[in-house]
């Protein structure tokens, strides 16, 4: 494995229905074995067809429940044993949750944080150990500008992303020099199934645009990718806004 380029091995998509994750996998698919990991894994025929049409050598669907933390080590070890070395692992599962409900229902707030932060910590720690043992590999982690400075309008989801962003940043530093590369992706509002019915925010993007930036970042072995790039200076300025103004910011 060189300093640049895509790591050799299978492409593992954790969150096999993720629109962004699938677009990333489709770009990496030509000639590769792709593993789609999701709940109800028998109902992924549409996703399998898209990847097969995209040139994947083979596509396998495996059952995966991100919230079943105890299953993560055995699950990932089985993937590597059955399908070979993992080249790129795309961690793309997550939920947006219902902010209004989460403010009234602690169980819902905890469920959002469980999936968007706790489960990610478990998977990423296990993946990092597995790829360290391989001596190479790449991990894609999806953060969000919602976690750069948490807003009142979506603070439960935003707080989970803030935690994930910090964890992934530290993990990337811990992996430095091991041959394992972690790409942290900070997205803005992405127009897709997860945000259906919501008014798009300024500087919105599509899953296709995010995926293109992710694959470019993987090739370049970048540490962080903002999508779109304009969000980096925008949120540098946002951090300077007084709290009295910030708390009135919309989603």
């Amino acid at each position: 494995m060189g300093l640049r380029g895509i790591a050799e091995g299978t492409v593992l998509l954790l969150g096999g229905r993720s629109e962004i994750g699938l677009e990333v996998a489709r770009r990496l698919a030509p000639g590769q074995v792709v593993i789609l990991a999701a709940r109800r894994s028998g109902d992924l025929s549409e996703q399998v067809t898209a990847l097969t049409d995209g040139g994947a050598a083979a596509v396998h669907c495996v059952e995966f429940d991100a919230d079943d933390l105890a299953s993560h080590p055995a699950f990932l070890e089985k993937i590597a044993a059955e399908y070979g070395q993992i080249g790129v692992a795309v961690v793309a599962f997550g939920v947006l949750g219902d902010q209004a409900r989460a403010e009234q229902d602690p169980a819902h707030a905890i469920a959002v944080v469980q999936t968007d932060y706790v489960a990610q910590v478990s998977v990423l720690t296990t993946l990092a150990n597995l790829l360290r043992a391989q001596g190479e590999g790449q991990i894609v982690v999806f953060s969000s500008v919602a976690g750069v400075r948490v807003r009142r309008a979506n603070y439960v989801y935003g707080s989970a992303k803030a935690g994930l962003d910090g964890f992934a940043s530290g993990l990337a530093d811990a992996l430095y020099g091991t041959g394992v590369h972690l790409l942290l992706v900070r997205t803005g509002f992405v127009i897709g199934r997860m945000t259906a019915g919501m008014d798009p925010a300024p500087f919105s993007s599509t899953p296709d645009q995010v995926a293109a930036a992710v694959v470019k970042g993987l090739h370049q072995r970048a540490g962080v990718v903002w999508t779109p790039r304009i969000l980096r200076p925008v949120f540098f300025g946002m951090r300077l806004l007084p709290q009295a103004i910030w708390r009135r910011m919309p989603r």
Side-chain angles (χ1 to χ4, degrees), residues 177-205:
T178 66
V180 182
H181 163 236
L182 187 149
L183 173 62
L184 178 59
V185 185
R186 293 186 179 129
T187 65
F189 188 99
V190 180
I191 300 169
R193 187 174 58 246
M194 190 174 180
T195 57
M198 298 168 58
D199 293 330
F203 311 115
S204 295
S205 57

Short mmCIF file of all heavy atoms in Angstrom, two decimals, residues 177-205:
data_model
loop_
_atom_site.label_atom_id
_atom_site.label_comp_id
_atom_site.label_asym_id
_atom_site.label_seq_id
_atom_site.Cartn_x
_atom_site.Cartn_y
_atom_site.Cartn_z
N GLY A 177 0.71 6.23 10.93
CA GLY A 177 1.92 5.42 10.88
C GLY A 177 1.68 3.92 10.94
O GLY A 177 2.65 3.14 10.86
N THR A 178 0.42 3.50 11.04
CA THR A 178 0.12 2.07 11.12
C THR A 178 -0.18 1.45 9.76
O THR A 178 -0.31 0.23 9.65
CB THR A 178 -1.10 1.81 12.03
OG1 THR A 178 -2.27 2.38 11.41
CG2 THR A 178 -0.90 2.43 13.41
N GLY A 179 -0.33 2.29 8.75
CA GLY A 179 -0.75 1.81 7.43
C GLY A 179 -2.25 1.89 7.23
O GLY A 179 -2.75 1.61 6.14
N VAL A 180 -2.98 2.27 8.29
CA VAL A 180 -4.43 2.39 8.21
C VAL A 180 -4.79 3.87 8.10
O VAL A 180 -4.31 4.70 8.86
CB VAL A 180 -5.12 1.78 9.45
CG1 VAL A 180 -6.64 1.88 9.31
CG2 VAL A 180 -4.69 0.33 9.64
N HIS A 181 -5.64 4.17 7.13
CA HIS A 181 -6.03 5.55 6.85
C HIS A 181 -7.50 5.76 7.19
O HIS A 181 -8.36 4.99 6.78
CB HIS A 181 -5.79 5.86 5.36
CG HIS A 181 -6.50 7.08 4.87
ND1 HIS A 181 -7.38 7.05 3.80
CD2 HIS A 181 -6.48 8.37 5.29
CE1 HIS A 181 -7.85 8.27 3.59
NE2 HIS A 181 -7.33 9.09 4.48
N LEU A 182 -7.80 6.80 7.98
CA LEU A 182 -9.18 7.16 8.30
C LEU A 182 -9.51 8.48 7.63
O LEU A 182 -8.79 9.47 7.80
CB LEU A 182 -9.37 7.26 9.82
CG LEU A 182 -10.81 7.48 10.30
CD1 LEU A 182 -11.02 6.82 11.68
CD2 LEU A 182 -11.19 8.96 10.39
N LEU A 183 -10.60 8.49 6.89
CA LEU A 183 -11.10 9.70 6.24
C LEU A 183 -12.36 10.16 6.97
O LEU A 183 -13.35 9.44 7.02
CB LEU A 183 -11.42 9.43 4.77
CG LEU A 183 -12.11 10.56 4.00
CD1 LEU A 183 -11.22 11.80 3.95
CD2 LEU A 183 -12.49 10.12 2.60
N LEU A 184 -12.31 11.36 7.53
CA LEU A 184 -13.45 11.95 8.23
C LEU A 184 -14.17 12.89 7.27
O LEU A 184 -13.56 13.83 6.74
CB LEU A 184 -12.96 12.70 9.47
CG LEU A 184 -14.01 13.43 10.32
CD1 LEU A 184 -15.06 12.44 10.84
CD2 LEU A 184 -13.34 14.17 11.47
N VAL A 185 -15.45 12.65 7.05
CA VAL A 185 -16.24 13.43 6.09
C VAL A 185 -17.24 14.29 6.85
O VAL A 185 -18.10 13.77 7.57
CB VAL A 185 -16.98 12.50 5.11
CG1 VAL A 185 -17.69 13.33 4.03
CG2 VAL A 185 -16.03 11.49 4.50
N ARG A 186 -17.12 15.61 6.70
CA ARG A 186 -18.05 16.54 7.34
C ARG A 186 -19.01 17.06 6.26
O ARG A 186 -18.62 17.87 5.42
CB ARG A 186 -17.30 17.69 8.00
CG ARG A 186 -16.44 17.25 9.18
CD ARG A 186 -15.81 18.43 9.90
NE ARG A 186 -15.02 17.98 11.04
CZ ARG A 186 -13.77 18.33 11.28
NH1 ARG A 186 -13.14 19.17 10.44
NH2 ARG A 186 -13.12 17.88 12.34
N THR A 187 -20.23 16.56 6.31
CA THR A 187 -21.21 16.93 5.30
C THR A 187 -22.13 18.04 5.81
O THR A 187 -22.35 18.18 7.01
CB THR A 187 -22.09 15.74 4.91
OG1 THR A 187 -22.86 15.34 6.05
CG2 THR A 187 -21.24 14.57 4.43
N GLY A 188 -22.66 18.80 4.87
CA GLY A 188 -23.74 19.72 5.18
C GLY A 188 -25.06 19.00 4.97
O GLY A 188 -25.13 17.77 5.07
N PHE A 189 -26.10 19.74 4.67
CA PHE A 189 -27.41 19.16 4.40
C PHE A 189 -27.32 18.36 3.11
O PHE A 189 -26.89 18.87 2.08
CB PHE A 189 -28.45 20.26 4.27
CG PHE A 189 -29.87 19.77 4.17
CD1 PHE A 189 -30.69 19.77 5.29
CD2 PHE A 189 -30.39 19.30 2.97
CE1 PHE A 189 -32.01 19.32 5.21
CE2 PHE A 189 -31.69 18.85 2.88
CZ PHE A 189 -32.51 18.86 4.00
N VAL A 190 -27.70 17.08 3.18
CA VAL A 190 -27.68 16.22 2.00
C VAL A 190 -29.12 15.93 1.59
O VAL A 190 -29.92 15.42 2.38
CB VAL A 190 -26.93 14.90 2.27
CG1 VAL A 190 -26.93 14.03 1.02
CG2 VAL A 190 -25.50 15.19 2.72
N ILE A 191 -29.44 16.26 0.36
CA ILE A 191 -30.80 16.05 -0.15
C ILE A 191 -30.95 14.57 -0.50
O ILE A 191 -30.29 14.06 -1.41
CB ILE A 191 -31.04 16.92 -1.40
CG1 ILE A 191 -30.87 18.40 -1.06
CG2 ILE A 191 -32.44 16.66 -1.97
CD1 ILE A 191 -30.85 19.30 -2.27
N GLY A 192 -31.81 13.89 0.24
CA GLY A 192 -31.99 12.45 0.00
C GLY A 192 -33.10 11.89 0.86
O GLY A 192 -33.89 12.63 1.45
N ARG A 193 -33.13 10.58 0.94
CA ARG A 193 -34.20 9.90 1.66
C ARG A 193 -34.24 10.28 3.14
O ARG A 193 -35.31 10.46 3.73
CB ARG A 193 -34.01 8.39 1.51
CG ARG A 193 -35.15 7.55 2.07
CD ARG A 193 -34.96 6.08 1.74
NE ARG A 193 -33.70 5.56 2.25
CZ ARG A 193 -32.69 5.14 1.48
NH1 ARG A 193 -32.78 5.19 0.17
NH2 ARG A 193 -31.58 4.67 2.03
N MET A 194 -33.09 10.44 3.75
CA MET A 194 -33.03 10.73 5.18
C MET A 194 -33.60 12.11 5.51
O MET A 194 -34.10 12.33 6.62
CB MET A 194 -31.56 10.65 5.65
CG MET A 194 -31.37 10.68 7.15
SD MET A 194 -29.63 10.39 7.57
CE MET A 194 -29.69 10.47 9.36
N THR A 195 -33.53 13.05 4.56
CA THR A 195 -34.00 14.41 4.80
C THR A 195 -35.27 14.72 4.01
O THR A 195 -35.61 15.89 3.82
CB THR A 195 -32.91 15.42 4.44
OG1 THR A 195 -32.51 15.22 3.06
CG2 THR A 195 -31.69 15.26 5.33
N ALA A 196 -35.95 13.70 3.52
CA ALA A 196 -37.16 13.90 2.73
C ALA A 196 -38.19 14.70 3.53
O ALA A 196 -38.42 14.44 4.72
CB ALA A 196 -37.75 12.56 2.32
N GLY A 197 -38.80 15.70 2.89
CA GLY A 197 -39.80 16.53 3.53
C GLY A 197 -39.25 17.74 4.25
O GLY A 197 -40.01 18.61 4.69
N MET A 198 -37.93 17.83 4.37
CA MET A 198 -37.30 18.98 5.02
C MET A 198 -36.87 19.99 3.97
O MET A 198 -36.51 19.63 2.86
CB MET A 198 -36.08 18.52 5.84
CG MET A 198 -36.40 17.57 6.97
SD MET A 198 -34.92 16.79 7.69
CE MET A 198 -34.00 18.24 8.20
N ASP A 199 -36.92 21.27 4.33
CA ASP A 199 -36.45 22.31 3.42
C ASP A 199 -34.92 22.26 3.36
O ASP A 199 -34.26 22.28 4.40
CB ASP A 199 -36.89 23.69 3.90
CG ASP A 199 -38.41 23.87 3.82
OD1 ASP A 199 -39.02 23.25 2.95
OD2 ASP A 199 -38.96 24.63 4.65
N PRO A 200 -34.35 22.19 2.16
CA PRO A 200 -32.89 22.14 2.04
C PRO A 200 -32.24 23.37 2.67
O PRO A 200 -32.75 24.48 2.58
CB PRO A 200 -32.66 22.11 0.52
CG PRO A 200 -33.93 21.56 -0.04
CD PRO A 200 -35.01 22.09 0.85
N ALA A 201 -31.11 23.14 3.31
CA ALA A 201 -30.35 24.24 3.90
C ALA A 201 -29.43 24.84 2.85
O ALA A 201 -29.20 24.25 1.79
CB ALA A 201 -29.52 23.71 5.08
N PRO A 202 -28.89 26.05 3.10
CA PRO A 202 -27.91 26.62 2.17
C PRO A 202 -26.72 25.67 1.97
O PRO A 202 -26.36 24.93 2.90
CB PRO A 202 -27.48 27.91 2.86
CG PRO A 202 -28.63 28.27 3.75
CD PRO A 202 -29.19 26.96 4.22
N PHE A 203 -26.16 25.69 0.79
CA PHE A 203 -25.00 24.86 0.45
C PHE A 203 -25.31 23.36 0.58
O PHE A 203 -24.49 22.58 1.05
CB PHE A 203 -23.78 25.21 1.31
CG PHE A 203 -23.49 26.68 1.39
CD1 PHE A 203 -23.59 27.37 2.59
CD2 PHE A 203 -23.12 27.39 0.26
CE1 PHE A 203 -23.32 28.73 2.67
CE2 PHE A 203 -22.86 28.74 0.32
CZ PHE A 203 -22.96 29.42 1.53
N SER A 204 -26.52 22.98 0.18
CA SER A 204 -26.89 21.57 0.21
C SER A 204 -26.15 20.79 -0.88
O SER A 204 -25.65 21.37 -1.85
CB SER A 204 -28.40 21.41 0.00
OG SER A 204 -29.12 22.00 1.07
N SER A 205 -26.09 19.48 -0.72
CA SER A 205 -25.45 18.63 -1.72
C SER A 205 -26.28 17.37 -1.91
O SER A 205 -27.25 17.14 -1.19
CB SER A 205 -24.01 18.28 -1.30
OG SER A 205 -24.02 17.65 -0.03
#
